[in-house]
Short mmCIF file of all heavy atoms in Angstrom, two decimals:
data_model
loop_
_atom_site.label_atom_id
_atom_site.label_comp_id
_atom_site.label_asym_id
_atom_site.label_seq_id
_atom_site.Cartn_x
_atom_site.Cartn_y
_atom_site.Cartn_z
N TYR A 1 -116.62 57.62 78.08
CA TYR A 1 -115.94 56.35 78.30
C TYR A 1 -115.49 55.72 76.98
O TYR A 1 -114.42 55.12 76.89
CB TYR A 1 -116.83 55.38 79.08
CG TYR A 1 -117.09 55.83 80.49
CD1 TYR A 1 -118.34 56.29 80.89
CD2 TYR A 1 -116.07 55.81 81.45
CE1 TYR A 1 -118.57 56.70 82.19
CE2 TYR A 1 -116.29 56.23 82.75
CZ TYR A 1 -117.55 56.68 83.11
OH TYR A 1 -117.77 57.10 84.40
N GLY A 2 -116.31 55.86 75.95
CA GLY A 2 -115.92 55.35 74.64
C GLY A 2 -114.74 56.11 74.07
O GLY A 2 -113.81 55.51 73.50
N TYR A 3 -114.77 57.43 74.21
CA TYR A 3 -113.67 58.25 73.70
C TYR A 3 -112.38 57.95 74.45
O TYR A 3 -111.31 57.79 73.84
CB TYR A 3 -114.04 59.73 73.84
CG TYR A 3 -113.00 60.68 73.30
CD1 TYR A 3 -112.62 60.65 71.96
CD2 TYR A 3 -112.40 61.62 74.14
CE1 TYR A 3 -111.67 61.52 71.46
CE2 TYR A 3 -111.45 62.50 73.65
CZ TYR A 3 -111.08 62.44 72.31
OH TYR A 3 -110.13 63.31 71.82
N GLN A 4 -112.47 57.84 75.75
CA GLN A 4 -111.30 57.51 76.56
C GLN A 4 -110.72 56.16 76.15
O GLN A 4 -109.49 56.00 76.05
CB GLN A 4 -111.71 57.47 78.03
CG GLN A 4 -110.63 57.05 78.99
CD GLN A 4 -111.13 57.07 80.43
OE1 GLN A 4 -110.84 57.98 81.17
NE2 GLN A 4 -111.89 56.07 80.81
N ALA A 5 -111.58 55.18 75.92
CA ALA A 5 -111.13 53.86 75.49
C ALA A 5 -110.45 53.92 74.13
O ALA A 5 -109.42 53.25 73.90
CB ALA A 5 -112.30 52.88 75.46
N ARG A 6 -110.99 54.72 73.21
CA ARG A 6 -110.38 54.83 71.88
C ARG A 6 -108.99 55.45 71.96
O ARG A 6 -108.05 55.00 71.30
CB ARG A 6 -111.28 55.66 70.95
CG ARG A 6 -112.57 54.95 70.56
CD ARG A 6 -113.24 55.62 69.38
NE ARG A 6 -113.62 57.00 69.63
CZ ARG A 6 -114.76 57.37 70.23
NH1 ARG A 6 -115.62 56.43 70.65
NH2 ARG A 6 -115.06 58.64 70.40
N LEU A 7 -108.85 56.49 72.78
CA LEU A 7 -107.54 57.12 72.93
C LEU A 7 -106.53 56.15 73.54
O LEU A 7 -105.37 56.11 73.15
CB LEU A 7 -107.66 58.36 73.82
CG LEU A 7 -108.39 59.56 73.23
CD1 LEU A 7 -108.52 60.66 74.29
CD2 LEU A 7 -107.67 60.10 72.00
N THR A 8 -106.99 55.38 74.53
CA THR A 8 -106.11 54.40 75.16
C THR A 8 -105.75 53.30 74.17
O THR A 8 -104.58 52.90 74.07
CB THR A 8 -106.80 53.79 76.39
OG1 THR A 8 -107.21 54.82 77.29
CG2 THR A 8 -105.85 52.85 77.13
N ALA A 9 -106.73 52.83 73.41
CA ALA A 9 -106.50 51.76 72.43
C ALA A 9 -105.53 52.20 71.35
O ALA A 9 -104.69 51.41 70.89
CB ALA A 9 -107.83 51.33 71.81
N ASP A 10 -105.62 53.46 70.92
CA ASP A 10 -104.71 53.97 69.89
C ASP A 10 -103.26 53.85 70.34
O ASP A 10 -102.37 53.59 69.52
CB ASP A 10 -105.03 55.43 69.58
CG ASP A 10 -106.31 55.60 68.78
OD1 ASP A 10 -106.81 54.58 68.24
OD2 ASP A 10 -106.82 56.73 68.72
N ARG A 11 -103.03 54.05 71.63
CA ARG A 11 -101.66 53.99 72.16
C ARG A 11 -101.16 52.55 72.32
O ARG A 11 -99.97 52.33 72.51
CB ARG A 11 -101.60 54.74 73.50
CG ARG A 11 -101.66 56.25 73.30
CD ARG A 11 -102.17 57.00 74.51
NE ARG A 11 -102.06 58.45 74.30
CZ ARG A 11 -102.91 59.15 73.57
NH1 ARG A 11 -103.93 58.56 72.99
NH2 ARG A 11 -102.74 60.46 73.42
N LEU A 12 -102.08 51.61 72.26
CA LEU A 12 -101.72 50.19 72.42
C LEU A 12 -101.92 49.39 71.15
O LEU A 12 -101.63 48.19 71.12
CB LEU A 12 -102.57 49.57 73.54
CG LEU A 12 -102.35 50.14 74.95
CD1 LEU A 12 -103.43 49.62 75.89
CD2 LEU A 12 -100.97 49.79 75.45
N ASN A 13 -102.44 50.06 70.11
CA ASN A 13 -102.76 49.36 68.85
C ASN A 13 -103.67 48.17 69.12
O ASN A 13 -103.41 47.04 68.68
CB ASN A 13 -101.48 48.92 68.13
CG ASN A 13 -101.74 48.50 66.69
OD1 ASN A 13 -102.69 48.97 66.06
ND2 ASN A 13 -100.91 47.62 66.16
N ALA A 14 -104.73 48.44 69.89
CA ALA A 14 -105.66 47.39 70.31
C ALA A 14 -107.09 47.80 69.99
O ALA A 14 -107.38 48.98 69.78
CB ALA A 14 -105.51 47.12 71.81
N PRO A 15 -108.03 46.85 69.95
CA PRO A 15 -109.44 47.18 69.68
C PRO A 15 -110.03 48.01 70.82
O PRO A 15 -109.90 47.63 71.99
CB PRO A 15 -110.12 45.80 69.60
CG PRO A 15 -109.03 44.83 69.35
CD PRO A 15 -107.81 45.38 70.03
N PRO A 16 -110.70 49.12 70.50
CA PRO A 16 -111.26 49.99 71.56
C PRO A 16 -112.23 49.27 72.50
O PRO A 16 -112.23 49.53 73.70
CB PRO A 16 -111.98 51.09 70.76
CG PRO A 16 -111.24 51.14 69.47
CD PRO A 16 -110.83 49.73 69.18
N GLU A 17 -113.08 48.38 71.97
CA GLU A 17 -114.03 47.69 72.84
C GLU A 17 -113.33 46.77 73.83
O GLU A 17 -113.75 46.64 74.98
CB GLU A 17 -115.05 46.90 72.01
CG GLU A 17 -116.11 47.78 71.37
CD GLU A 17 -116.82 48.66 72.37
OE1 GLU A 17 -117.23 48.14 73.44
OE2 GLU A 17 -116.96 49.87 72.12
N GLN A 18 -112.24 46.17 73.39
CA GLN A 18 -111.46 45.32 74.30
C GLN A 18 -110.85 46.17 75.41
O GLN A 18 -110.86 45.77 76.59
CB GLN A 18 -110.36 44.61 73.52
CG GLN A 18 -109.41 43.80 74.40
CD GLN A 18 -108.23 43.26 73.60
OE1 GLN A 18 -108.38 42.84 72.45
NE2 GLN A 18 -107.05 43.29 74.20
N ILE A 19 -110.34 47.33 75.05
CA ILE A 19 -109.72 48.22 76.04
C ILE A 19 -110.78 48.78 76.98
O ILE A 19 -110.55 48.87 78.20
CB ILE A 19 -108.97 49.36 75.34
CG1 ILE A 19 -107.79 48.80 74.54
CG2 ILE A 19 -108.49 50.39 76.35
CD1 ILE A 19 -106.78 48.01 75.36
N ARG A 20 -111.94 49.11 76.44
CA ARG A 20 -113.00 49.61 77.32
C ARG A 20 -113.39 48.56 78.35
O ARG A 20 -113.60 48.88 79.53
CB ARG A 20 -114.22 50.04 76.49
CG ARG A 20 -115.35 50.61 77.34
CD ARG A 20 -116.38 51.31 76.51
NE ARG A 20 -117.42 51.90 77.34
CZ ARG A 20 -118.35 52.74 76.89
NH1 ARG A 20 -118.36 53.09 75.61
NH2 ARG A 20 -119.26 53.22 77.70
N GLU A 21 -113.50 47.30 77.92
CA GLU A 21 -113.85 46.22 78.85
C GLU A 21 -112.75 46.04 79.90
O GLU A 21 -113.03 45.83 81.08
CB GLU A 21 -114.06 44.92 78.07
CG GLU A 21 -114.57 43.75 78.91
CD GLU A 21 -113.46 43.04 79.69
OE1 GLU A 21 -112.30 43.03 79.21
OE2 GLU A 21 -113.75 42.52 80.79
N SER A 22 -111.49 46.15 79.47
CA SER A 22 -110.37 46.00 80.41
C SER A 22 -110.36 47.12 81.43
O SER A 22 -110.13 46.88 82.63
CB SER A 22 -109.05 45.97 79.65
OG SER A 22 -108.95 44.83 78.82
N LEU A 23 -110.61 48.35 81.00
CA LEU A 23 -110.63 49.48 81.93
C LEU A 23 -111.79 49.34 82.92
O LEU A 23 -111.64 49.63 84.11
CB LEU A 23 -110.75 50.79 81.16
CG LEU A 23 -109.52 51.19 80.33
CD1 LEU A 23 -109.81 52.45 79.53
CD2 LEU A 23 -108.30 51.41 81.23
N GLU A 24 -112.93 48.89 82.43
CA GLU A 24 -114.08 48.69 83.31
C GLU A 24 -113.78 47.63 84.36
O GLU A 24 -114.05 47.82 85.56
CB GLU A 24 -115.30 48.27 82.48
CG GLU A 24 -116.57 48.08 83.28
CD GLU A 24 -117.14 49.37 83.83
OE1 GLU A 24 -116.82 50.45 83.28
OE2 GLU A 24 -117.89 49.30 84.83
N ARG A 25 -113.17 46.52 83.93
CA ARG A 25 -112.90 45.40 84.84
C ARG A 25 -111.76 45.71 85.80
O ARG A 25 -111.87 45.44 87.00
CB ARG A 25 -112.58 44.16 84.00
CG ARG A 25 -112.16 42.95 84.82
CD ARG A 25 -112.07 41.71 83.91
NE ARG A 25 -111.30 41.97 82.71
CZ ARG A 25 -109.96 41.85 82.63
NH1 ARG A 25 -109.28 41.46 83.69
NH2 ARG A 25 -109.34 42.08 81.49
N LEU A 26 -110.69 46.31 85.30
CA LEU A 26 -109.49 46.47 86.12
C LEU A 26 -109.48 47.76 86.92
O LEU A 26 -108.98 47.78 88.06
CB LEU A 26 -108.24 46.44 85.23
CG LEU A 26 -107.99 45.11 84.50
CD1 LEU A 26 -106.87 45.28 83.48
CD2 LEU A 26 -107.64 44.02 85.50
N VAL A 27 -110.01 48.83 86.35
CA VAL A 27 -109.95 50.15 87.00
C VAL A 27 -111.26 50.48 87.70
O VAL A 27 -111.31 50.63 88.93
CB VAL A 27 -109.58 51.25 85.98
CG1 VAL A 27 -109.59 52.62 86.65
CG2 VAL A 27 -108.21 50.97 85.37
N TYR A 28 -112.32 50.59 86.94
CA TYR A 28 -113.57 51.08 87.52
C TYR A 28 -114.21 50.10 88.50
O TYR A 28 -114.82 50.52 89.49
CB TYR A 28 -114.55 51.45 86.40
CG TYR A 28 -114.09 52.68 85.65
CD1 TYR A 28 -113.52 52.59 84.38
CD2 TYR A 28 -114.19 53.94 86.22
CE1 TYR A 28 -113.07 53.71 83.70
CE2 TYR A 28 -113.75 55.07 85.55
CZ TYR A 28 -113.19 54.95 84.29
OH TYR A 28 -112.74 56.07 83.63
N LYS A 29 -114.04 48.81 88.26
CA LYS A 29 -114.54 47.82 89.20
C LYS A 29 -113.41 47.20 90.03
O LYS A 29 -113.60 46.89 91.20
CB LYS A 29 -115.30 46.71 88.46
CG LYS A 29 -116.60 47.19 87.83
CD LYS A 29 -117.33 46.05 87.12
CE LYS A 29 -118.64 46.55 86.51
NZ LYS A 29 -119.34 45.47 85.75
N GLY A 30 -112.23 47.07 89.42
CA GLY A 30 -111.14 46.39 90.08
C GLY A 30 -110.55 47.12 91.27
O GLY A 30 -110.04 46.49 92.21
N PHE A 31 -110.61 48.45 91.26
CA PHE A 31 -110.06 49.22 92.37
C PHE A 31 -110.96 49.15 93.61
O PHE A 31 -110.49 49.28 94.74
CB PHE A 31 -109.88 50.68 91.98
CG PHE A 31 -108.72 50.96 91.06
CD1 PHE A 31 -108.05 49.93 90.42
CD2 PHE A 31 -108.31 52.26 90.82
CE1 PHE A 31 -106.98 50.20 89.56
CE2 PHE A 31 -107.25 52.54 89.98
CZ PHE A 31 -106.58 51.51 89.33
N VAL A 32 -112.25 48.96 93.40
CA VAL A 32 -113.24 49.15 94.46
C VAL A 32 -113.05 48.25 95.68
O VAL A 32 -113.11 48.72 96.82
CB VAL A 32 -114.68 49.00 93.89
CG1 VAL A 32 -115.71 48.94 95.02
CG2 VAL A 32 -114.98 50.17 92.96
N PRO A 33 -112.81 46.93 95.52
CA PRO A 33 -112.69 46.07 96.71
C PRO A 33 -111.57 46.49 97.67
O PRO A 33 -111.66 46.23 98.87
CB PRO A 33 -112.42 44.68 96.11
CG PRO A 33 -113.00 44.74 94.74
CD PRO A 33 -112.76 46.14 94.27
N HIS A 34 -110.55 47.14 97.15
CA HIS A 34 -109.44 47.55 98.01
C HIS A 34 -109.88 48.56 99.08
O HIS A 34 -109.24 48.68 100.13
CB HIS A 34 -108.31 48.16 97.17
CG HIS A 34 -107.67 47.18 96.23
ND1 HIS A 34 -106.77 46.22 96.65
CD2 HIS A 34 -107.82 46.99 94.90
CE1 HIS A 34 -106.38 45.49 95.62
NE2 HIS A 34 -107.00 45.93 94.54
N PHE A 35 -110.97 49.24 98.81
CA PHE A 35 -111.42 50.27 99.76
C PHE A 35 -112.02 49.68 101.03
O PHE A 35 -112.23 50.39 102.00
CB PHE A 35 -112.43 51.21 99.08
CG PHE A 35 -111.77 52.17 98.14
CD1 PHE A 35 -111.46 51.81 96.85
CD2 PHE A 35 -111.42 53.44 98.57
CE1 PHE A 35 -110.83 52.68 95.98
CE2 PHE A 35 -110.79 54.33 97.70
CZ PHE A 35 -110.48 53.95 96.41
N LEU A 36 -112.27 48.37 101.03
CA LEU A 36 -112.73 47.72 102.26
C LEU A 36 -111.65 47.73 103.34
O LEU A 36 -111.95 47.61 104.53
CB LEU A 36 -113.16 46.28 101.97
CG LEU A 36 -114.47 46.10 101.20
CD1 LEU A 36 -114.60 44.67 100.71
CD2 LEU A 36 -115.65 46.49 102.07
N LYS A 37 -110.40 47.86 102.92
CA LYS A 37 -109.29 47.81 103.86
C LYS A 37 -108.56 49.15 103.97
O LYS A 37 -107.48 49.23 104.55
CB LYS A 37 -108.31 46.71 103.44
CG LYS A 37 -108.92 45.32 103.49
CD LYS A 37 -107.90 44.24 103.15
CE LYS A 37 -108.53 42.86 103.23
NZ LYS A 37 -107.56 41.79 102.90
#
């Protein structure tokens, strides 16, 4: 997860920890509620 965040951050010129938090919030947790429907 750290490596994935670093690769993503490199493409956005952003801090890796910020990107890791965003991926966790938007993708890994954010997708889940949609499965109720």
